[in-house]
Amino acid sequence: MAIYLFKGRNADGRVVNGQIEAANTDAAANQLLGRGITPVSMDEQIVKLSLSERFERSANLGKVESVELIMFCRQMYTISKSGIPLVKGLRGLAASLRNYTFQRALEDIIERLETGVELSTAMRFHPKIFNNLFVSMMSVGESSGRLDLVFKQLGEYMERDLNTTKSIKTALRYPTFVLIAITIAMGVINIKVIPAFAGLFANFGAKLPLPTRILMGISEFFVAYWVYMVVIVVGGIAWFLHYTKTPEGSRWWGQKKLRLIVVGDIIERATLARYARSFGLMLNAGLPISNALELCARAIDNNYLGDKIRGIRAGIERGEGLYQTHLVSGMFTPLVLQMISVGEESGQVDTLLGEVAEFYEREVEYDTKLLGDRIEPLMIVVMAGFVIILALGIFLPMWDMYSIQKQ
């Protein structure tokens, strides 16, 4: 795609100037004619790019963040509600985007729309940006003629989901940094500090205390085999990341991370909040229950719970009710099950699922605020144990040396 500076006349005969982005001059002229402008002259503009921008464009390494998709949904809601034609609105958004990957995707969608393809079908060609949930909601919006409402609902859904994810990451940031700092400190002490004291203690000639002998043995092991340890750790991490991407590994990790100390329960409730929010959103949009459940199983990003949701779907297809299938899944508390039962009886399942999502989200928000208070004592105990072992191992023989010198 290139940018062309044009000069032309509109329907009233007045001279207009501006710039337009197109694959070539013919495409640019066709776009102008479609806007009611007769081109008089057209010159390609040379855009100077930085080295990083050139590399990104050549390799197309850009990533579309959740914040950018939320802003896209908000802008498209405004555009759709105000009655601006879809292609014209998308073209204006594409021209204002800084993310080259997202811009290219929208330009491709615009080209497909101009050939008569539907928006949901055009978005399906960019699965890394628009997932199955997004595409399915677009399809429902097109069928019902409420595309503006769908964009609004998707924007609100993604914003809540992003806020929950951010709150969990923020709560885990402090303990993660502490553990990394302790690991680095242990490596430096074992490789640099303890060997220096070992030479001093060797001249002492007396029998060293047990904590000191343990520390020196660990230090000698680190010094002799640190290269192999690094290789094993890096290889183990690489194997773990690869294994969790396999179907079996993702299910195993999906179950295990729900049982992690302190944070596992928060992760489970945040995942269930995402399920309830997305399920209610799709039911409100008019998707069939069976299709909505399958999309929810993919959207929650946990294959272990995804299998349970597919079990709910299988029960629904056998003719069982929502309450019964959710009860059998074992995923929800009695209070949440009662809310689902009331929603099923009153015919307001989507509304009650929204209440379930808010219930879980409030719990997650409250627990993430207390997460630091829960983890801090554990961190203090770990650091205290590390300092005590180090102090005993190094200072006990030094006290013995001081006592002998006094005699």
Side-chain angles (χ1 to χ4, degrees):
M1 300 290 282
I3 297 177
Y4 295 92
L5 298 176
F6 69 87
K7 182 179 180 182
R9 294 184 181 276
N10 60 14
D12 299 329
R14 287 182 296 178
V15 176
V16 291
N17 300 294
Q19 64 181 31
I20 190 170
E21 188 172 5
N24 49 51
T25 54
D26 291 336
N30 290 332
Q31 286 188 33
L32 291 174
L33 290 172
R35 301 181 192 179
I37 299 173
T38 303
V40 176
S41 63
M42 195 176 301
D43 299 310
E44 184 175 353
Q45 183 182 14
I46 306 299
V47 181
K48 294 183 179 180
L49 301 174
S50 64
L51 183 62
S52 61
E53 288 175 331
R54 290 178 184 176
F55 177 76
E56 180 182 322
R57 291 197 174 194
S58 61
N60 201 21
L61 296 177
K63 182 182 179 182
V64 179
E65 301 291 341
S66 298
V67 176
E68 294 174 302
L69 276 176
I70 293 171
M71 289 302 300
F72 170 74
C73 287
R74 288 177 177 175
Q75 291 167 331
M76 288 304 300
Y77 165 68
T78 304
I79 290 170
S80 302
K81 190 175 181 181
S82 60
I84 298 174
L86 187 59
V87 172
K88 185 177 181 180
L90 284 171
R91 185 177 285 113
L93 282 180
S96 63
L97 288 176
R98 294 184 179 181
N99 188 319
Y100 182 67
T101 302
F102 201 8
Q103 186 181 58
R104 290 282 295 172
L106 289 186
E107 289 169 354
D108 178 72
I109 289 172
I110 291 169
E111 291 180 3
R112 295 180 187 277
L113 288 174
E114 289 176 336
T115 61
V117 175
E118 292 184 341
L119 179 61
S120 58
T121 305
M123 285 182 171
R124 205 178 296 275
F125 288 90
H126 303 277
K128 292 183 179 180
I129 300 176
F130 306 106
N131 57 24
N132 289 324
L133 171 62
F134 205 106
V135 172
S136 298
M137 291 296 293
M138 288 299 105
S139 178
V140 171
E142 289 171 326
S143 302
S144 61
R146 295 303 309 272
L147 206 56
D148 55 339
L149 182 60
V150 168
F151 275 118
K152 181 182 178 181
Q153 291 175 335
L154 275 173
E156 292 173 349
Y157 164 76
M158 288 189 291
E159 186 174 13
R160 290 192 185 98
D161 193 50
L162 180 63
N163 289 336
T164 303
T165 304
K166 279 185 175 180
S167 62
I168 294 175
K169 288 182 178 180
T170 301
L172 294 177
R173 189 173 298 143
Y174 165 72
T176 302
F177 284 153
V178 171
L179 290 176
I180 292 173
I182 291 176
T183 303
I184 294 174
M186 288 180 63
V188 172
I189 289 171
N190 279 292
I191 295 175
K192 295 292 184 181
V193 178
I194 295 180
F197 280 97
L200 177 64
F201 297 154
N203 297 327
F204 181 43
K207 184 178 180 180
L208 297 174
L210 179 61
T212 305
R213 297 200 303 271
I214 293 174
L215 279 180
M216 291 178 63
I218 294 174
S219 175
E220 291 173 1
F221 182 82
F222 264 81
V223 172
Y225 301 106
W226 70 269
V227 176
Y228 302 101
M229 293 178 66
V230 170
V231 172
I232 291 173
V233 170
V234 173
I237 293 174
W239 174 84
F240 175 78
L241 293 176
H242 171 73
Y243 179 65
T244 53
K245 290 180 180 178
T246 63
E248 180 184 355
S250 62
R251 288 179 176 84
W252 173 83
W253 176 236
Q255 181 180 15
K256 294 300 180 183
K257 68 182 178 182
L258 302 179
R259 304 293 178 263
L260 293 175
I261 299 175
V262 180
V263 299
D265 187 49
I266 297 177
I267 294 173
E268 182 176 11
R269 280 178 288 176
T271 305
L272 293 178
R274 175 186 286 185
Y275 161 70
R277 180 72 64 188
S278 57
F279 190 27
L281 175 66
M282 285 181 277
L283 289 181
N284 181 263
L287 273 175
I289 292 181
S290 182
N291 293 349
L293 285 169
E294 178 60 32
L295 290 173
C296 288
R298 301 177 189 176
I300 62 171
D301 196 26
N302 186 315
N303 284 350
Y304 170 71
L305 292 180
D307 287 344
K308 290 195 171 187
I309 294 173
R310 290 186 178 94
I312 295 175
R313 176 190 175 186
I316 294 294
E317 291 175 345
R318 289 194 301 267
E320 300 174 9
L322 280 175
Y323 171 77
Q324 182 63 31
T325 52
H326 283 72
L327 175 64
V328 173
S329 70
M331 295 167 55
F332 302 93
T333 61
L335 176 61
V336 173
L337 289 171
Q338 289 177 8
M339 295 173 71
I340 293 174
S341 176
V342 171
E344 188 175 17
E345 292 174 0
S346 62
Q348 297 180 334
V349 177
D350 55 338
T351 303
L352 268 295
L353 284 172
E355 296 291 336
V356 169
E358 290 182 6
F359 170 77
Y360 278 126
E361 287 165 355
R362 284 194 294 267
E363 284 195 339
V364 169
E365 182 180 3
Y366 178 76
D367 285 343
T368 49
K369 290 179 180 178
L370 298 180
L371 189 58
D373 297 333
R374 294 179 181 177
I375 293 179
E376 190 170 348
L378 295 177
M379 295 293 101
I380 292 174
V381 170
V382 171
M383 294 180 68
F386 175 69
V387 171
I388 289 172
I389 293 172
L390 187 63
L392 289 175
I394 292 178
F395 292 115
L396 276 179
M398 294 182 68
W399 290 334
D400 292 342
M401 291 171 62
Y402 177 72
S403 301
I404 291 175
Q405 287 178 353
K406 286 186 65 177
Q407 295 175 357

